[in-house]
Amino acid sequence: MASLKDLRNRIASVKATQKITKAMQMVAAAKLRRAQEAAEAARPYSQRMASVLANIAEAVGGGGEAPALMTGTGKSDVHLLVVCTAERGLCGGFNSQIARFAREHARRLIAEGKTVKMITVGKKGFDILRRDYSRLIIDRVDLREVKTLGFANADAIARKVIGMFNAGEFDVCTLFYSEFKSVISQVPTAQQLIPATAPLVAKAEAADGAVYDYEPEPGEILGDLIPRNIAVQIFRALLENAAGEMGAKMSAMDNATRNAGDMINKLSITYNRQRQAQITKELIEIISGAEAL
């Protein structure tokens, strides 16, 4: 059984940990508001760009004017998975859920005889995936030094992916991230980037009966629009991840603070009982000694 000194030290240690988790919870709550606003502000732009892309793609159809980023290579033998996670931990199962989702997708593709390559964006995704798929990771993007995510960060990733596609290094590219729903809900999401596909919502908006004239030709517009759309979708994924990370961290630190409080209560009860038993024992010894005299 632990001594009273050991129990006192343990109670002090848990109290110090509780102060840290409480402070981290408050910091995450402050950052969450800004990250959530940024993610929500990016959604309309991303959705509207997808709508415009779907409308122009409808005008082009399956003709030869469509760029290779939209039509693809005609094959699906080599798949590139771009897995976006957080740079830091202490956010519950946020990173592991994204990594598990990407791992299951990779396992399914490998079972079908496909070749899989990975690019990890975020330190935690790299640390998790390299345990099983280190040979599949061809590159990693480190954003630990970035204080505020900007479009330039996403554009650099998009240029790297498009350059690999133009070099014939893959046929299909899929982006993995976590869509922010609420503080306690972040949904792992997979979005195909290449060949570029417009979401069903965007297709429905594109088919609303409006007729558009384009200048220059739709094929030329798509050649400029699709690379920008890829960068926009990656930027949105990074912002969604940032908001989801803060939400998950706030929830995890709140649970840790509560658990620390419960542990302090249990340790305090144990300490008081042991102290009371020691006092009772000493009293009995004093009384026994007095009666012996």
Side-chain angles (χ1 to χ4, degrees), residues 158-202:
R159 290 178 183 275
K160 182 179 298 185
V161 171
I162 294 172
M164 293 177 60
F165 177 77
N166 292 334
E169 297 183 25
F170 66 88
D171 301 315
V172 180
C173 176
T174 306
L175 176 67
F176 291 85
Y177 65 98
S178 187
E179 184 177 1
F180 177 80
K181 294 294 185 181
S182 66
V183 174
I184 60 174
S185 176
Q186 300 88 32
V187 182
T189 304
Q191 179 180 352
Q192 182 174 308
L193 294 179
I194 302 174
T197 57
L200 296 177
V201 175

Side-chain angles (χ1 to χ4, degrees), residues 236-257:
R236 178 191 173 185
L238 294 178
L239 293 178
E240 294 279 352
N241 263 8
E245 178 192 359
M246 290 301 110
K249 182 170 292 188
M250 189 177 76
S251 179
M253 292 300 100
D254 179 60
N255 290 335
T257 302

Side-chain angles (χ1 to χ4, degrees), residues 50-70:
S51 175
V52 173
L53 182 64
N55 193 289
I56 301 177
E58 188 75 17
V60 172
E65 295 183 8
L69 288 173
M70 174 166 284

Side-chain angles (χ1 to χ4, degrees), residues 35 37 88 209 215 223 234 268 280:
E37 289 175 352
R88 297 172 179 82
E215 179 66 31
I234 294 176
S268 297
T280 303

